Amino acid sequence: MSAHTFYLKPVDTFFFKGQQISEAGNDNNMFGIFPPRPNTVYGALRSAYIHEHIPFYEFEQETNLEVKKWMGTPRSLGDFRVTYCGLTYENDLLFPLPLDYQVIEKDEKLQAYPLQLVCDDMPSSHNTGWLLTSKIKEKSKSSTNLFMKRNDWKRNILSTSPVDHLYKLTDLVTFENKTGIALDYEKRTSKSSYFYQMNYLRFLNDSSLYVYSPISPDFDNIHLVRLGGENRPWILEQKEETFKLWNKDELNILKQKILQSGIAKIILLSPAIWKNGSRPKSYDGNTVILPNGMKVKLLTAAIGRPTLYGGWDIVHHRPKKRYYMVPEGSVLYVQVHKDQVDNMIELANGFSFSDYGNQEGFGFAVVAPVQH
């Protein structure tokens, strides 16, 4: 048992289905979703490990103790755990742009400016009085699906400085449209109303999916994983790497900034499923409890629009219960007392902060400073 990092690269084009109907007899123009949800990648790795070791009927019988230990049973998960699913570009890890940045376009180039945290005693529906404001009057662009290389992300977040180099999805993938229609094999003609179009994706510039598992069996003999629509093959590369965001010097800077301001940011690097929609279930209207037991006051937040998370339960043959999922890049601002700073720093390099799906990679969050 050890920590592993997995890199997944598609053999050919790929796509990930969303909530759209894709059965024969429906006219469809499907765009799918990207990046894929963490549970999709977790499930593909889990299935690849199971099929490498035993037939699926043996997995249902729960007779192989080693597979059962790591991958559980059809009704429960085992010890295998994923904490973070991300993307790489030009062999460098990408992080989502935090949503407390305002994005504008200048000379056909996107730039992002940090919002300012201010305390405002004017009447408001937000009871803490803390707000995120901007002095920039230009028209804003959407800040979703924008990414930064890891070192650029760290430098800008530590200094709370503007961002002048952002990556869009079109920098990572190209779109290839596929058109299809069902055939009537008896008449040897096409079927009416059985037409579909689907946008397939292809990675650019040596991009890949990045998966970090702190508790994992050895996948060294598994070289292909079936992932996404049509169970297309992906090449799996395993490395014994540990995810670490901040080094020792950066942690010291982070600690001093939190001591000075008394405030920290919690930034989601992957989407989270929270029981209360845009707030975790531990939020009581004033404070929130973090996974290490810390109770901190929630001052304000920059939360992206939640989307529906669901799926199909293949064991019980029915739809899974649906939840609201907040996107990666969402940010919580919390008040940290001096006696809590060391505990907050212990979380700085990453922790799971989701009410559902922690083991599958949802809600991976890190801690960052606030300029106040």
Side-chain angles (χ1 to χ4, degrees), residues 11-12 37 48 85 88 102 114 127 130 140 147 151 175 218 235 250 260 268 278 299 307 314 356 359:
V11 173
D12 199 353
R37 291 169 177 168
C85 294
T88 69
Q102 180 184 4
N127 59 7
W130 291 91
S140 297
F147 304 89
N151 287 335
F175 298 87
D218 192 353
I235 298 171
E250 291 164 342
Q260 181 180 3
L268 289 175
S278 61
L299 300 180
T307 57
I314 62 174
Y356 305 96
Q359 188 169 343

Side-chain angles (χ1 to χ4, degrees), residues 158 246 248-263 336 338 340-346 348 367-369:
L158 275 180
W246 308 113
K248 185 177 179 180
D249 291 337
E250 291 164 342
L251 284 175
N252 287 332
I253 295 173
L254 176 57
K255 181 177 180 179
Q256 293 306 314
K257 286 181 177 290
I258 295 176
L259 282 170
Q260 181 180 3
S261 67
I263 302 171
V336 183
K338 290 184 177 180
Q340 296 178 310
V341 172
D342 287 336
N343 289 332
M344 182 62 74
I345 294 299
E346 290 177 359
V367 176

Side-chain angles (χ1 to χ4, degrees), residues 47-286:
S47 296
Y49 185 88
I50 293 170
H51 286 291
E52 173 68 19
H53 291 84
I54 56 174
F56 195 75
Y57 71 86
E58 286 189 28
F59 177 64
E60 291 180 309
Q61 294 170 356
E62 305 177 21
T63 55
N64 188 303
L65 296 182
E66 184 69 11
V67 172
K68 184 177 180 180
K69 165 184 166 57
W70 285 112
M71 302 304 163
T73 72
R75 292 169 176 78
S76 64
L77 300 179
D79 292 342
F80 176 50
R81 182 181 186 90
V82 165
T83 55
Y84 178 47
C85 294
L87 297 167
T88 69
Y89 176 81
E90 297 178 340
N91 295 313
D92 200 347
L93 189 58
L94 293 180
F95 290 151
L97 174 72
L99 298 184
D100 59 346
Y101 274 74
Q102 180 184 4
V103 179
I104 63 172
E105 186 173 8
K106 283 187 177 181
D107 301 323
E108 299 183 351
K109 183 180 179 181
L110 294 180
Q111 297 177 330
Y113 295 86
L115 300 177
Q116 304 300 312
L117 181 68
V118 298
C119 189
D120 189 342
D121 59 2
M122 296 294 289
S124 171
S125 59
H126 191 59
N127 59 7
T128 68
W130 291 91
L131 302 172
L132 292 170
T133 64
S134 173
K135 296 181 181 179
I136 298 174
K137 303 302 181 184
E138 284 88 346
K139 183 179 180 180
S140 297
K141 308 285 285 187
S142 173
S143 54
T144 59
N145 285 329
L146 295 176
F147 304 89
M148 302 165 61
K149 288 187 174 180
R150 171 166 41 187
N151 287 335
D152 294 337
W153 191 95
K154 290 167 61 176
R155 181 175 60 254
N156 288 111
I157 296 300
L158 275 180
S159 62
T160 318
S161 58
V163 178
D164 58 8
H165 200 121
L166 292 166
Y167 294 92
K168 299 177 289 186
L169 286 182
T170 51
D171 296 318
L172 279 67
V173 295
T174 184
F175 298 87
E176 299 182 10
N177 188 269
K178 177 183 178 180
T179 300
I181 191 165
L183 299 177
D184 187 324
Y185 292 101
E186 292 183 0
K187 297 180 179 180
R188 297 184 182 180
T189 61
S190 61
K191 290 185 178 182
S192 176
S193 300
Y194 276 56
F195 176 83
Y196 72 91
Q197 288 183 311
M198 180 69 198
N199 279 320
Y200 281 57
L201 306 178
R202 188 186 297 275
F203 270 137
L204 300 172
N205 298 313
D206 205 23
S207 298
S208 67
L209 296 181
Y210 170 97
V211 184
Y212 175 63
S213 171
I215 304 174
S216 169
D218 192 353
F219 279 72
D220 192 51
N221 293 325
I222 302 173
H223 305 295
L224 286 176
V225 172
R226 297 287 180 175
L227 175 61
E230 298 179 348
N231 285 319
R232 295 198 158 201
W234 291 59
I235 298 171
L236 174 66
E237 181 183 6
Q238 172 183 278
K239 293 185 179 181
E240 293 190 8
E241 297 175 345
T242 301
F243 178 90
K244 191 174 183 180
L245 176 62
W246 308 113
N247 61 37
K248 185 177 179 180
D249 291 337
E250 291 164 342
L251 284 175
N252 287 332
I253 295 173
L254 176 57
K255 181 177 180 179
Q256 293 306 314
K257 286 181 177 290
I258 295 176
L259 282 170
Q260 181 180 3
S261 67
I263 302 171
K265 290 197 291 187
I266 297 172
I267 304 175
L268 289 175
L269 297 186
S270 64
I273 306 171
W274 286 335
K275 185 175 182 180
N276 296 327
S278 61
R279 296 292 187 271
K281 67 179 180 181
S282 64
Y283 179 62
D284 62 4
N286 183 43

